[in-house]
Amino acid sequence: MELYLIRHGIAQEATSEIRDEDRRLTEQGRKKTQKVARRLKDLGLSFDLIATSPLVRAQQTAEILISTELSSQLEQCSYLAPNGNIEDWVEKWLIPKQYSKTACVALIGHQPCLSNWAEILIWGEAKDSLVLKKAGTIGIETPETLPIFGRCQMFWLTPPRYLI
């Protein structure tokens, strides 16, 4: 299966008036994410499912990808919230879905969680070496059998500036 880990677009700054969960994409963040989504579409990508963190900025990013016709399936996934646990995600979300080896799934979430997840999938541990920019993408191919930690292969790491 191919996993595309996509960080949400540029969002409002955290303030005492706005809860972190409620931070929205800025106009710049929305426009940049739309350009990235169109470019992903132009490159021939499509997703069997887009799973998103429940936080507003991630949901808005996912909606932009849906509106660009990158997928028709959208699902909220609590494991993609900040500090989500990848072991729980694999055990309670990924395995029960029984995706085929040709499936293509996008995960919309947050930094550093997505970068750490990518490192765990690739190297078996988080090393704080990968940086995923806002609206950036990491592509990972998973093995056909369990376990998957430390056995995945990264094939794509693209900051948004190379897509717009």
Side-chain angles (χ1 to χ4, degrees):
M1 172 176 60
E2 287 185 356
L3 284 177
Y4 287 82
L5 286 64
I6 303 172
R7 186 175 176 191
H8 64 78
I10 300 167
Q12 296 170 308
E13 293 295 322
T15 67
S16 58
E17 292 85 37
I18 303 172
R19 293 182 330 144
D20 184 53
E21 301 84 25
D22 298 329
R23 290 174 42 217
R24 304 180 67 75
L25 294 181
T26 63
E27 187 60 30
Q28 178 189 12
R30 185 175 303 282
K31 287 178 181 177
K32 192 175 202 177
T33 302
Q34 287 169 338
K35 288 178 182 178
V36 167
R38 284 193 296 270
R39 182 68 177 129
L40 294 175
K41 177 77 172 168
D42 291 345
L43 290 170
L45 273 152
S46 67
F47 305 113
D48 297 304
L49 173 72
I50 296 174
T52 181
S53 157
L55 278 64
V56 172
R57 58 193 178 273
Q59 289 183 29
Q60 289 179 317
T61 299
E63 290 166 3
I64 290 169
L65 297 178
I66 291 286
S67 71
T68 312
E69 300 176 354
L70 286 166
S71 179
S72 61
Q73 301 293 314
L74 178 62
E75 183 178 313
Q76 188 171 300
C77 179
S78 61
Y79 301 108
L80 292 169
N83 301 316
N85 183 293
I86 189 170
E87 289 86 5
D88 288 342
W89 174 77
V90 168
E91 181 182 325
K92 298 174 185 171
W93 191 87
L94 182 64
I95 292 173
K97 292 191 180 290
Q98 299 181 355
Y99 284 107
S100 73
K101 64 180 180 179
T102 61
C104 187
V105 176
L107 306 178
I108 312 299
H110 310 274
Q111 183 69 3
C113 186
L114 289 179
S115 292
N116 289 339
W117 280 28
E119 292 174 344
I120 292 167
L121 289 167
I122 298 163
W123 298 308
E125 64 180 311
K127 298 182 177 193
D128 295 325
S129 297
L130 296 177
V131 176
L132 186 56
K133 298 288 187 183
K134 292 176 183 162
T137 305
I138 297 175
I140 296 174
E141 186 172 341
T142 65
E144 293 181 31
T145 59
L146 295 173
I148 64 172
F149 301 131
R151 295 185 55 227
C152 296
Q153 182 174 11
M154 180 172 63
F155 61 86
W156 191 334
L157 174 58
T158 308
R161 71 176 181 218
Y162 293 115
L163 294 171
I164 55 176

